[in-house]
Structure formats: structure tokens, C-alpha cells
Amino acid sequence: MPIIEQSEYNFPSIFHRNRHISTIYAALFKKFDVPDYTREKHELNDGDFINIDFVINDPKKAVILCHGLEGDSRRTYNNSCAAYFQQKGFSVFAWNNRTCGGEMNRLPRLYHHGAVDDLDEVVQFVLKKGFEDVYLIGYSMGGVQLLNYLGWTKIDKRIKAAVSISVPTHIATSAAILKQGFNRVYLKNFTIDIKKKLKHKAAQFPDFINRDQIDKISSFDEVDQYFTAPLHGFASRDDYYERVSPEFSLQNITIPVLIINSLDDPFLGERCYPWSIAQDSTYIYLETPKYGGHCAFPLRDSVYSYAEKRAYNFFESVTYRTLKD
């Protein structure tokens, strides 16, 4: 029953007992230098591309970082995590979903929570470099992609473990809670950014994307119903939400995975805490700190977050158990 009954996370101050302060501080005010990455434009089989940033340290072990919605490889949480794992000797690969990372992709397709084919391209890119032990870390949407990848795909034996942080395991519940109260501020910011990209795509591909429909967007409902679902082969928004929610793929995962979802996360609905699945699983570990916000988990005595430190410790424990067995 791999439920972590008592999280070791201790919030740094009374201010971070507020979910929004933790979340906004981590997103807007915390700063962390971008690693000295090499960037490679990786060509995809469908004629598109994704950009992968990486730093090679240990030639045997690597960690792949998956960013969140409207994020990129150089968001603060990724930079902090990359620096921490470099300090621990890992090679680091931080990839950008299509349309992310400062360069628009070629095709009408954007990205979405179920884009496991693109993540597989990244995994294969890393494995071809000869690494023996590969780990994955995903933040928010990146955590969804990671879990779906592990649940839908035949996994190479060199993929040892993964950690998903602040991950909406049930997409419809997450979309609904973002319409409530102060959470609408986050929703507005997301939709502003997404509308900009859709307008760019509409100029590129006027026959695929209805420019007039973009101006009517006010929430994820419209984004997913009129754009995400039809552009990526889903019958409707509801079909998309159900098919890409990790709640329905977690039981297929066969490597150790830790999910860290704080109970005060403003992005997560009630079905984003898969208690019963973890309780019955050999591989899914669920840790639910009382505080932490969304992709935040600040620490009083460290520039790093609890999430990346916990991810490293989880990977170490998996390695130890494997060696012991």
C-alpha cells in the first residue's frame, strides 16, 4: 500500500500556508539561472520538430524534465530541478512541447496532456546516447504526459522510475476547479497565452483553425472543445478529458512512480488524489503534503524546493531496493 501517510515537507513560513502565495511566489518571484544547456532541434517523423535542451554530466544516468501547461524547458521550476540534479551528478534533458520554448512549430498540431508520442521521441533521444539509468520528472501537465506515457507505452528497461509533481490526474475536475474564486486569475492567464498561440496558428493554417472562434474563448472549455479536441483527433472536450486523464492509465504502470500533490493545490480537484489506486498498487506512491501550492513546495533553508529533493531521494531509494533485490 504505497501511500505516504506522513509527508516530511515542512512549509517555510506562515505566509506559505496560503496556497496562492506559494503558487504565485514560485511562478513569478522565485528566480533561478538557466543551466548552460546545449539545444538540439529534434526532427519528428511527421515533419515537425521539438527543441530539447540538455547538459551531459554522468554518461550513465540521466533525468528527463517535462514542463507544465504554457511552460517550457527554462521555467524556474525546471531550472531549479536541473541545477539540483546536476549537483547530484546527473545528466539533464529538458524538452519543449510543440509551440513552446520560444519557437513555433511547423504543423497545425499544438500539444496536449496525452502527447506521449512526443515524449517517447525525447526518451528515445536520451536512450540513444547510451544512458543506462533514466528517470523522469513531470510538473503539472508534464506530469500528466509522463503518467500517460508510462501507462500507455511499452517501457524500456532502462527507464527506472518517475516523479509527477502537482499533477491533475483527473483533467475534468481540474478544469472545473480553475473556474472557481481566485483560481480564475490563473485560468485567465492561461487562456490569454493560449489565444495568442491559436491566433498565430490561425494565420498559418486558416483552413484548420477558425480565427473568429478564438475571440470567444473564456475558459479551457472553449479551448478544448473547439481546438484541442478536433486538432488532435478527439471526438469532443469530454472525450479528450476522459482519454487523457491518468486516473484511467495509472493501473497499467509497472515502474515505481511517486505522485506529490499538495492538499492545498489550487489547480487540483477532488479526483486528483488517487488514494484508492495507490493503496492497491505495487508501483504508484502517493504523497499529499498539507501545504505546497502548485509546483511550489518552498523550503526555508534551501534555494531548492522540497519536490526536487524528494524526487532525488525517491530515485535513490528505488536504486537501493533494486540493488538489494
Side-chain angles (χ1 to χ4, degrees), residues 295-309:
C295 296
F297 301 99
L299 291 169
R300 176 183 287 119
D301 58 350
S302 177
V303 295
Y304 301 109
S305 78
Y306 173 78
E308 54 229 21
K309 289 190 171 189

Side-chain angles (χ1 to χ4, degrees), residues 98-234:
R98 304 187 198 210
T99 77
C100 301
E103 186 175 7
M104 190 59 64
N105 63 319
R106 301 184 188 118
L107 300 183
R109 175 177 169 177
L110 286 82
Y111 65 88
H112 60 86
H113 290 77
V116 301
D117 52 344
D118 287 352
L119 177 52
D120 185 57
E121 289 273 358
V122 178
V123 171
Q124 299 309 316
F125 176 87
V126 173
L127 292 176
K128 287 176 183 176
K129 293 188 178 294
F131 291 97
E132 298 175 6
D133 299 319
V134 177
Y135 303 87
L136 295 95
I137 298 175
Y139 291 87
S140 195
M141 182 200 72
V144 173
Q145 292 176 325
L146 182 161
L147 293 174
N148 283 331
Y149 174 72
L150 297 179
W152 295 351
T153 311
K154 184 177 180 181
I155 302 302
D156 190 285
K157 64 181 181 180
R158 289 169 288 179
I159 307 297
K160 302 300 183 183
V163 174
S164 282
I165 300 160
S166 301
V167 56
T169 57
H170 189 263
I171 305 301
T173 306
S174 176
I177 202 168
L178 281 169
K179 299 175 188 176
Q180 301 175 12
F182 186 84
N183 294 349
R184 290 183 295 229
V185 173
Y186 307 122
L187 179 63
K188 182 178 180 180
N189 287 334
F190 281 136
T191 53
I192 288 172
D193 292 341
I194 291 170
K195 285 170 72 171
K196 290 177 182 177
K197 287 185 176 179
L198 287 172
K199 288 177 181 178
H200 187 106
K201 283 296 176 187
Q204 282 183 296
F205 305 100
D207 294 336
F208 283 91
I209 297 176
N210 185 335
R211 174 65 174 78
D212 294 335
Q213 192 71 54
I214 297 171
D215 292 326
K216 300 177 183 178
I217 292 174
S218 61
S219 74
F220 286 147
D221 289 350
E222 289 87 1
V223 172
D224 294 331
Q225 180 67 30
Y226 298 112
F227 300 101
T228 307
L231 281 173
H232 302 102
F234 299 96

Side-chain angles (χ1 to χ4, degrees), residues 256-314:
V257 171
L258 173 63
I259 296 173
I260 308 174
N261 282 354
S262 71
L263 295 175
D264 72 343
D265 191 320
F267 288 46
L268 302 185
E270 59 184 10
R271 287 180 65 176
C272 294
Y273 302 91
W275 304 101
S276 60
I277 294 174
Q279 191 169 18
D280 295 335
S281 174
T282 303
Y283 299 102
I284 305 301
Y285 293 75
L286 177 62
E287 181 173 346
T288 55
K290 185 176 181 180
Y291 302 105
H294 188 73
C295 296
F297 301 99
L299 291 169
R300 176 183 287 119
D301 58 350
S302 177
V303 295
Y304 301 109
S305 78
Y306 173 78
E308 54 229 21
K309 289 190 171 189
R310 182 69 178 91
Y312 172 76
N313 290 335
F314 181 72

